[in-house]
């Protein structure tokens, strides 16, 4: 294996480790938030809502300590995790000098942002 | 929702996540039919719940696949460009058609996937030479724990792959599935990516695709926490289990399981679309 190939393999391994860690962290954060919300809902004997509240209502609900708003935040945290991992991957490609895949990852991010933007219209 | 339905949805999601993660799917391809056929949940609500579950399953399962080296991150980003655009279009279509149309299209997609993978079992396509030109920088390798061999591969036919990924994205957005049921056969049969690498790459992609779908359904108030919460608990339990099993299971057995389950659900959904229930 040449020195360049060894560097390439090390870069790939670092990139994989970074992406895996972001996904695991996002998952753990979402589980903790949902566990808190569910525990509160059970203690207060509150039924789950049949619609996930919109972001502004979730923020207000969390300020009041509403169980359903906390559960909503848990659901949104998990939705945002792949988005966070894509940001990290795009930055890592850029730092490794892989401009082409940094650009492609950036384009994927942009499309995901458009989908979220469309959903807010 | 009563406690028995809560537990039922949770177990259905656990099953979907275990098999989904094993096969590189988000599990939505199992979950939407299970929720619709066995719990009588409106297909549109099932699609919204499934999109969230697909994201969850992908987040949990793909961290394992990425560490194992099964996921080709460059290939996933490249194919994701057209898939994500397709997913937005598909989700917007889904919000405008009725439930039986969704059931019919999903049933046909399932049957197509089963037939594709069955064909793959018989043909076992020859991989392209590993020293062939690699203009997209996609050459990769991984250690297969089942055979203890390093598998090197070079994805081929990238441009048609991108086009079909866009179509897979439309179906994903429309049906609340991550698109793995289409992406895995596509990568394996057409692009000559080994099954485990196809499953690992797809497992990561389906999460990003489902984010686009989930966002659109969320904005239309079609995300129902009474379904999503038990389903997510089931997914948490099943996803890691599935990706751990993948490391040890022989590829041919994996494909056979996929074909049987997918064909059963496909037939059920087509019949459901015409008002015939056999479940």
């Amino acid at each position: 294996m040449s020195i360049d190939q060894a560097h390439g393999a090390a870069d790939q391994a670092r990139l994989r480790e970074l992406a895996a860690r972001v996904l695991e962290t996002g998952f753990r954060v979402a589980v903790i938030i949902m566990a808190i919300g569910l525990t509160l809902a059970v203690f207060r004997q509150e039924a789950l809502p049949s619609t996930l509240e919109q972001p502004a209502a979730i923020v207000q609900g969390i300020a009041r300590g509403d169980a359903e708003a906390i559960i909503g935040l848990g659901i949104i945290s998990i939705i945002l995790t792949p988005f966070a991992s894509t940001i990290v991957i795009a930055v890592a490609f850029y730092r490794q000098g892989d401009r082409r895949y940094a650009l492609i990852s950036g384009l994927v991010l942009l499309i995901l942002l458009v989908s979220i933007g469309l959903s807010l219209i | 929702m009563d406690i028995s339905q809560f537990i039922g949805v949770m177990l259905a999601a656990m099953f979907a996540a275990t098999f989904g993660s094993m096969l590189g799917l988000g599990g939505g391809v199992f979950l939407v039919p299970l929720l619709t056929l066995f719990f009588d949940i409106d297909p549109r609500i099932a699609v919204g719940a499934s999109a969230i579950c697909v994201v969850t399953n992908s987040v949990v399962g793909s961290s394992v696949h990425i560490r194992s080296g099964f996921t080709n991150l460059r290939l996933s980003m490249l194919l994701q460009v057209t898939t994500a655009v397709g997913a937005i279009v598909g989700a917007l279509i889904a919000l405008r058609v009725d439930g039986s149309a969704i059931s019919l299209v999903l049933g046909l997609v399932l049957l197509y996937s089963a037939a594709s993978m069955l064909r793959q079992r018989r043909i076992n396509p020859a991989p392209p030479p590993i020293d062939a030109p690699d203009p997209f920088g996609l050459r990769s390798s991984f250690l297969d724990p089942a055979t203890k061999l390093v598998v090197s591969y070079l994805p081929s036919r990238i441009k048609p792959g991108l086009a079909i990924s866009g179509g897979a994205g439309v179906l994903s957005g429309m049906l609340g599935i991550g698109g793995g049921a289409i992406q895995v056969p596509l990568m394996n049969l057409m692009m000559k990516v080994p099954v485990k690498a196809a499953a690992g790459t797809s497992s990561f992609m389906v999460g990003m695709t489902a984010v686009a779908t989930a966002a659109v359904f969320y904005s239309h108030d079609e995300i129902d926490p009474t379904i999503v919460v038990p389903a997510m608990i089931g997914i948490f339990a099943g996803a890691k289990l599935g990706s751990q099993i993948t490391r040890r299971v022989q590829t041919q057995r994996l494909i056979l399981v996929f074909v049987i389950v997918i064909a059963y659900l496909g037939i059920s959904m087509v019949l459901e679309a015409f008002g015939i229930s056999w479940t």
Side-chain angles (χ1 to χ4, degrees):
Chain A
M1 185 185 276
S2 72
I3 290 173
D4 278 353
Q5 281 175 323
H7 280 171
D11 279 349
Q12 289 299 311
R14 267 198 298 272
L15 178 60
R16 282 202 297 265
E17 182 57 30
L18 201 61
R21 268 195 208 166
V22 172
L23 294 169
E24 280 171 355
T25 306
F27 166 67
R28 285 182 189 145
V29 168
V31 168
I32 291 168
I33 295 172
M34 282 191 65
I36 293 169
L38 278 173
T39 308
L40 280 176
V42 170
F43 270 112
R44 295 175 184 166
Q45 297 189 324
E46 289 174 13
L48 291 173
S50 60
T51 311
L52 182 60
E53 288 178 305
Q54 293 302 310
I58 287 179
V59 172
Q60 288 165 2
I62 290 169
R64 289 193 304 269
D66 282 356
E68 67 177 79
I70 296 171
I71 292 169
L73 180 67
I75 295 173
I76 289 174
S77 307
I78 205 90
I79 296 175
L80 291 177
T81 300
F83 193 75
S85 72
T86 309
I87 294 174
V88 168
I89 289 169
V91 172
F93 275 135
Y94 183 77
R95 285 195 174 163
Q96 290 174 3
D98 190 344
R99 297 273 164 86
R100 178 167 50 173
Y101 278 93
L103 196 68
I104 289 169
S105 309
L107 187 58
V108 170
L109 270 175
L110 184 70
I111 297 165
L112 291 179
L113 274 174
V114 168
S115 74
I116 292 169
L118 276 177
S119 70
L120 297 175
I121 294 172
Chain B
M1 175 186 263
D2 59 37
I3 191 73
S4 61
Q5 192 177 354
F6 189 98
I7 293 169
V9 170
M10 196 173 78
L11 291 176
M14 193 173 158
F15 168 86
T18 305
F19 278 93
S21 193
M22 279 169 68
L23 300 162
L25 319 177
V29 81
F30 302 123
L31 193 57
V32 177
L34 288 174
L35 293 179
T36 312
L37 297 170
F38 294 98
F39 298 95
D40 207 19
I41 291 167
D42 179 82
R44 213 172 293 156
I45 294 293
V47 168
S50 169
I52 307 270
C53 290
V54 170
V55 176
T56 309
N57 196 11
S58 166
V59 166
V60 181
S62 60
S63 62
V64 178
H65 287 309
I66 288 173
R67 279 220 173 85
S68 305
F70 294 166
T71 308
N72 186 330
L73 287 172
R74 285 183 177 166
L75 180 62
S76 66
M77 285 298 165
L78 190 62
L79 294 179
Q80 194 58 34
V81 173
T82 51
T83 310
V85 172
I88 297 173
V89 175
L92 293 172
I93 294 171
L95 292 165
R96 285 163 180 77
V97 299
D98 79 23
S100 62
I102 293 175
S103 297
L104 180 62
V105 176
L106 178 54
L108 294 174
V109 168
L110 290 168
L111 290 173
Y112 162 77
S113 299
S116 298
M117 293 304 272
L118 197 61
R119 193 172 141 248
Q120 191 272 342
R121 274 190 98 225
R122 291 188 187 137
I123 294 172
N124 229 348
I130 193 68
D131 55 352
D134 181 17
F136 292 92
L138 296 171
R139 182 178 283 116
S140 191
S141 61
F142 62 90
L143 175 70
D144 187 341
T147 59
K148 307 267 190 277
L149 294 173
V150 173
V151 181
S152 296
Y153 64 96
L154 174 61
S156 60
R157 304 181 73 187
I158 306 300
K159 287 174 187 169
L162 279 167
I164 297 175
S165 281
V170 173
L171 291 172
S172 308
M174 193 174 164
L175 306 172
I177 61 176
I182 303 159
Q183 296 281 10
V184 175
L186 163 76
M187 279 189 253
N188 183 239
L189 291 174
M190 202 175 89
M191 303 178 75
K192 311 287 168 64
V193 175
V195 166
K196 285 191 177 174
T201 303
S202 165
S203 165
F204 181 57
M205 285 178 65
V206 295
M208 291 186 281
T209 309
V211 165
T213 310
V216 175
F217 275 79
Y218 177 37
S219 69
H220 287 77
D221 290 330
E222 298 276 9
I223 302 291
D224 180 350
T226 62
I227 310 296
V228 170
V229 170
M232 278 179 80
I233 295 171
I235 297 280
F236 291 155
K240 209 120 196 170
L241 181 67
S243 43
Q244 294 289 354
I245 294 172
T246 314
R247 291 165 55 82
R248 294 172 177 82
V249 172
Q250 293 286 340
T251 300
Q252 294 301 311
R253 284 189 192 160
L254 207 61
I255 295 170
L256 190 62
V257 172
F258 178 93
V259 168
I260 292 168
V261 177
I262 288 280
Y264 169 77
L265 293 173
I267 292 166
S268 303
M269 289 303 284
V270 170
L271 292 175
E272 176 86 3
F274 293 103
I276 305 163
S277 177
W278 71 341
T279 53

